[in-house]
Amino acid sequence: MHRVVVLALDGVYPFELGIPQRVFGSADGLYEIMTCTVDGAPVRSNADFMVSVEHGPELLTTADTVIIPPFDVALISPEIPDPVMRALTAIRAGTRIVSICTGAFMLAAAGLLDGRPATTHWLLADDFRRLFPSVQLDPDVLFVEDGDVLTSAGAASGIDVCLHLVRSDHGSQVANQVARRCVVPPFRDGGQAQYIEQPVPEPGDQGTAAARAWALENLHRPLTVADLAEQARMSNRTFARRFRDEVGASPGRWLTQQRLARARQLLETSDLSIDQIAGQVGFATAASLRQHLHAAIGVAPVTYRRTFRTGAAAS
């Protein structure tokens, strides 16, 4: 059985601490999930209670995957405490290591992210770059996978990366079933850029919401950025810039995401053929739908339809 060890650090965030157990624990016994601290003693959470565990750092030597949940931002430092460093050093070579949110700061301080791509919460991106300039930080994505090291953004991105690991280990059918049991999307499109705070528009300022609503009603058409820009009464360039500011993705990428979302809904709820679905959501051919769906979630339309229809009954 694949053993997942969660390392609870001082100031740990309770919500994210529970994500591995909730996600991996919903995979019908495929994983064993255990929690430890760097010395086996209780640790403070960033809430008003302590977290008591039954294991110390020796558990890390037995792990197949180690997950480091986030800890209080007030404890972020370019230096890693000696007990934490000793604990991380105990991890066997080749073990998969995953961080959630501020957990990436600890991995970076330990030198595990030097020269590697990584992410963390967008709100902390400037601090991260200042402290660890050798890390290739991308604050716009939900998670980054670089070999045996994965880093994820804040809060719910911990669910995204754990579901990704289930999908990588056991395929989409198991991951989709886990997602249903946790009542979360099996795959979230877009990145965390869509959540970054943007300046509030001035009263009467024209945005892209109306154009997006129009696009959703006309997905069957071969829409272009120029079509959407015309609806918003903007130049193509202005529209593309405003669209990215408001949505966190380019108009073209957003359109593809919406077409896929509609296609997935039809695959789950209708008996339409793949060709018919492709036409209704604006993909030129069934082959185009297959290509985009496989790129997004790693499965073919027929497999997706079979998985969700049987998965719903199994759940």
Side-chain angles (χ1 to χ4, degrees), residues 100-116:
I100 303 174
C101 194
T102 56
F105 282 81
M106 199 61 73
L107 294 186
L112 296 175
L113 299 180
D114 287 349
R116 307 182 79 150

Side-chain angles (χ1 to χ4, degrees), residues 158-239:
I159 300 175
D160 295 315
V161 74
C162 288
L163 281 174
H164 170 73
L165 294 178
V166 174
R167 186 178 298 107
S168 298
D169 292 343
H170 301 288
S172 293
Q173 183 169 351
V174 174
N176 292 343
Q177 186 175 21
V178 168
R180 285 188 179 278
R181 290 176 175 175
C182 295
V183 198
V184 296
F187 183 88
R188 279 201 298 166
D189 294 314
Q192 62 172 325
Q194 61 193 299
Y195 304 110
I196 295 176
E197 295 174 347
Q198 302 292 345
V200 177
E202 294 295 328
D205 194 14
Q206 191 175 20
T208 66
R212 281 181 272 136
W214 175 83
L216 292 176
E217 294 177 357
N218 293 273
L219 284 179
H220 59 283
R221 298 174 53 184
L223 302 176
T224 65
V225 175
D227 293 329
L228 272 66
E230 182 179 355
Q231 289 294 317
R233 298 179 182 177
M234 299 180 190
S235 69
N236 291 359
R237 184 173 182 178
T238 298
F239 178 81

Side-chain angles (χ1 to χ4, degrees), residues 1-5 31-34 59 62-66:
M1 186 182 297
H2 188 106
R3 174 172 286 184
V4 176
V5 175
Y31 299 90
E32 178 185 32
I33 308 96
M34 306 178 78
L59 194 63
T62 70
D64 299 298
T65 295
V66 173

Side-chain angles (χ1 to χ4, degrees), residues 43-258:
V43 294
R44 295 175 298 162
S45 72
N46 82 320
D48 62 340
F49 56 85
M50 301 286 289
V51 174
S52 180
V53 301
E54 297 182 2
H55 305 283
E58 67 281 353
L59 194 63
L60 295 167
T61 65
T62 70
D64 299 298
T65 295
V66 173
I67 298 181
I68 302 179
F71 54 90
D72 198 303
V73 294
L75 300 176
I76 289 175
S77 169
E79 304 297 329
I80 188 168
D82 289 339
V84 178
M85 192 68 214
R86 287 194 296 270
L88 294 179
T89 303
I91 299 172
R92 295 174 300 175
T95 300
R96 190 164 57 187
I97 303 176
V98 183
S99 69
I100 303 174
C101 194
T102 56
F105 282 81
M106 199 61 73
L107 294 186
L112 296 175
L113 299 180
D114 287 349
R116 307 182 79 150
T119 194
T120 190
H121 196 294
W122 63 265
L123 193 60
L124 303 171
D126 290 341
D127 292 332
F128 191 96
R129 288 194 181 101
R130 176 175 54 81
L131 294 175
F132 308 109
S134 64
V135 180
Q136 302 169 26
L137 185 71
D138 183 352
D140 292 339
V141 296
L142 296 175
F143 62 85
V144 170
E145 180 176 22
D146 184 47
D148 57 2
V149 176
L150 296 91
T151 52
S152 61
S157 296
I159 300 175
D160 295 315
V161 74
C162 288
L163 281 174
H164 170 73
L165 294 178
V166 174
R167 186 178 298 107
S168 298
D169 292 343
H170 301 288
S172 293
Q173 183 169 351
V174 174
N176 292 343
Q177 186 175 21
V178 168
R180 285 188 179 278
R181 290 176 175 175
C182 295
V183 198
V184 296
F187 183 88
R188 279 201 298 166
D189 294 314
Q192 62 172 325
Q194 61 193 299
Y195 304 110
I196 295 176
E197 295 174 347
Q198 302 292 345
V200 177
E202 294 295 328
D205 194 14
Q206 191 175 20
T208 66
R212 281 181 272 136
W214 175 83
L216 292 176
E217 294 177 357
N218 293 273
L219 284 179
H220 59 283
R221 298 174 53 184
L223 302 176
T224 65
V225 175
D227 293 329
L228 272 66
E230 182 179 355
Q231 289 294 317
R233 298 179 182 177
M234 299 180 190
S235 69
N236 291 359
R237 184 173 182 178
T238 298
F239 178 81
R241 176 178 55 79
R242 289 293 301 275
F243 194 98
R244 183 177 288 277
D245 286 345
E246 293 178 15
V247 179
S250 68
R253 178 177 173 81
W254 179 84
L255 272 173
T256 298
Q257 291 170 356
Q258 303 313 307

